[in-house]
Amino acid sequence: MDPQHLADEPAPREGFLPVEGATLYSRDIGQGPPVIVLHGGPGFDHNYLLPDLDRLADAFRLIYYDQRGRGKSTWNVPPAPVSLQSEMDDLERVREHFQLEQAAVLGHSWGGLLAMEYAIRHPERVSRLILLNTCPASDDDFALFERQLAVRDPEDAERMRVLDSDPRMAEGDLDTRAAYYRLYYQPTLRPPELLDRLISHLQVGWTKESVLTARATTRRLFPETVKMPGYNLLPALARLRVPTLILHGDYDFIPLPCVTHIAEAIPGARLVVVRDCGHYSYLERPDAVRQALDEFFQAA
């Protein structure tokens, strides 16, 4: 990224907002149409999106927050109460806190699933829906994703198995975590320098304690969404009337049919497949992402 561009960016406005049973960290930057940003993981925080997604702050007001039990939102959060419903309630509270009648909602990866769930529940609050390298929307498509994950270099798969079973992984050791995710994301982020940057950003601000809190928290979320038999957002998405942009990489490790099903379900959804791009399009192809967003906001 151009250092001069970073120097010209406005300073972010950081803070904390109370929600039932927790406190959420928020980061607000830029001016223009408000965009609430939902990070992925679900065991990560917003830091891996920075500073690259901040390129949009010259034209949009970006409102990031760390989801409950992750990043700077781990304070006073026992894992047990975290659920899909608490995620939806937190997102609604973020909207209310910033006094937004409506906002665009941008979800990356797991954040895409949260964005879809929120748009289905509160379509009147969502001005635009942006799904960036989104998580699948059904248990069947998530199973397809897992089958594709299984088809990887056998040596890397064995290294990942060893790391995952290492006692240090269970203890939240940051170096072991970084080594595991380097192997996990290598097939879907090929430029070595960008992979290095991603892994570095995934570590920002984390401690063993926060890793364990996030792990325990997010372990509850998959069983009531994409790992729950019969989970399927596609019929509800077919009733959605929110302008929708779906951006996906042509070598994203989430199979293209998973997002095609979403694009076909949402009336009028625009699907853009970014060439020579994996799961981190904002990092790998920022100009293509920016162009797609500009055209989307101008047309909608």
Side-chain angles (χ1 to χ4, degrees), residues 38-60:
L38 301 174
H39 65 74
F44 303 146
D45 64 13
H46 81 287
N47 275 304
Y48 78 87
L49 298 166
L50 306 180
D52 300 272
L53 203 62
D54 273 0
R55 288 177 60 137
L56 303 176
D58 64 342
F60 302 96

Side-chain angles (χ1 to χ4, degrees), residues 53-69:
L53 203 62
D54 273 0
R55 288 177 60 137
L56 303 176
D58 64 342
F60 302 96
R61 180 187 180 190
L62 304 175
I63 299 172
Y64 303 86
Y65 72 98
D66 287 347
Q67 293 154 28
R68 179 185 298 236

Side-chain angles (χ1 to χ4, degrees), residues 187-209:
T188 198
L189 186 56
R190 293 171 184 166
E193 69 280 6
L194 295 184
L195 182 60
D196 289 343
R197 188 196 301 179
L198 173 67
I199 299 305
S200 173
H201 291 181
L202 287 176
Q203 301 289 79
V204 172
W206 286 86
T207 64
K208 285 186 176 183
E209 292 74 21

Side-chain angles (χ1 to χ4, degrees), residues 153-212:
D153 182 272
E155 291 185 2
D156 286 348
E158 176 59 18
R159 293 190 190 102
M160 288 175 62
R161 188 197 66 76
V162 170
L163 287 167
D164 197 38
S165 60
D166 190 316
R168 290 173 296 181
M169 189 74 159
E171 295 167 359
D173 180 74
L174 296 180
D175 290 339
T176 308
R177 176 180 182 258
Y180 178 87
Y181 281 120
R182 180 178 297 279
L183 290 168
Y184 184 80
Y185 287 119
Q186 184 173 285
T188 198
L189 186 56
R190 293 171 184 166
E193 69 280 6
L194 295 184
L195 182 60
D196 289 343
R197 188 196 301 179
L198 173 67
I199 299 305
S200 173
H201 291 181
L202 287 176
Q203 301 289 79
V204 172
W206 286 86
T207 64
K208 285 186 176 183
E209 292 74 21
S210 61
V211 167
L212 294 177

Side-chain angles (χ1 to χ4, degrees), residues 83-280:
S83 65
L84 178 60
Q85 185 59 54
S86 70
E87 297 287 78
M88 295 295 99
D89 293 343
D90 289 351
L91 177 47
E92 179 66 354
R93 178 73 183 97
V94 169
R95 182 195 63 79
E96 292 173 347
H97 175 80
F98 287 98
Q99 301 180 349
L100 303 173
E101 188 66 25
Q102 275 194 328
V105 178
L106 183 156
H108 175 254
S109 194
W110 163 260
L113 183 140
L114 295 183
M116 288 185 280
E117 285 274 9
Y118 183 78
I120 288 168
R121 299 172 190 224
H122 301 284
E124 75 285 357
R125 301 300 190 192
V126 181
S127 60
R128 293 171 178 83
L129 178 62
I130 304 158
L131 304 176
L132 199 60
N133 309 101
T134 186
C135 178
S138 71
D139 63 328
D140 283 345
D141 280 344
F142 193 79
L144 174 61
F145 165 52
E146 290 188 310
R147 288 195 296 273
Q148 177 157 312
L149 277 183
V151 183
R152 61 166 67 228
D153 182 272
E155 291 185 2
D156 286 348
E158 176 59 18
R159 293 190 190 102
M160 288 175 62
R161 188 197 66 76
V162 170
L163 287 167
D164 197 38
S165 60
D166 190 316
R168 290 173 296 181
M169 189 74 159
E171 295 167 359
D173 180 74
L174 296 180
D175 290 339
T176 308
R177 176 180 182 258
Y180 178 87
Y181 281 120
R182 180 178 297 279
L183 290 168
Y184 184 80
Y185 287 119
Q186 184 173 285
T188 198
L189 186 56
R190 293 171 184 166
E193 69 280 6
L194 295 184
L195 182 60
D196 289 343
R197 188 196 301 179
L198 173 67
I199 299 305
S200 173
H201 291 181
L202 287 176
Q203 301 289 79
V204 172
W206 286 86
T207 64
K208 285 186 176 183
E209 292 74 21
S210 61
V211 167
L212 294 177
T213 299
R215 187 178 301 160
T217 297
T218 59
R219 194 175 287 135
R220 299 177 53 86
L221 295 172
F222 279 125
E224 62 172 312
T225 55
V226 288
K227 297 290 282 184
M228 182 174 68
Y231 180 81
N232 188 0
L233 294 181
L234 298 175
L237 290 174
R239 298 188 292 271
L240 201 60
R241 297 297 183 271
V242 174
T244 300
L245 172 66
I246 304 169
L247 283 157
H248 206 67
D250 63 355
Y251 75 89
D252 196 315
F253 64 177
I254 295 177
L256 183 58
C258 296
V259 294
T260 301
H261 294 158
I262 297 170
E264 290 173 346
I266 301 175
R270 181 183 306 183
L271 172 60
V272 176
V273 178
V274 184
R275 295 184 59 187
D276 301 319
C277 184
H279 191 59
Y280 291 88

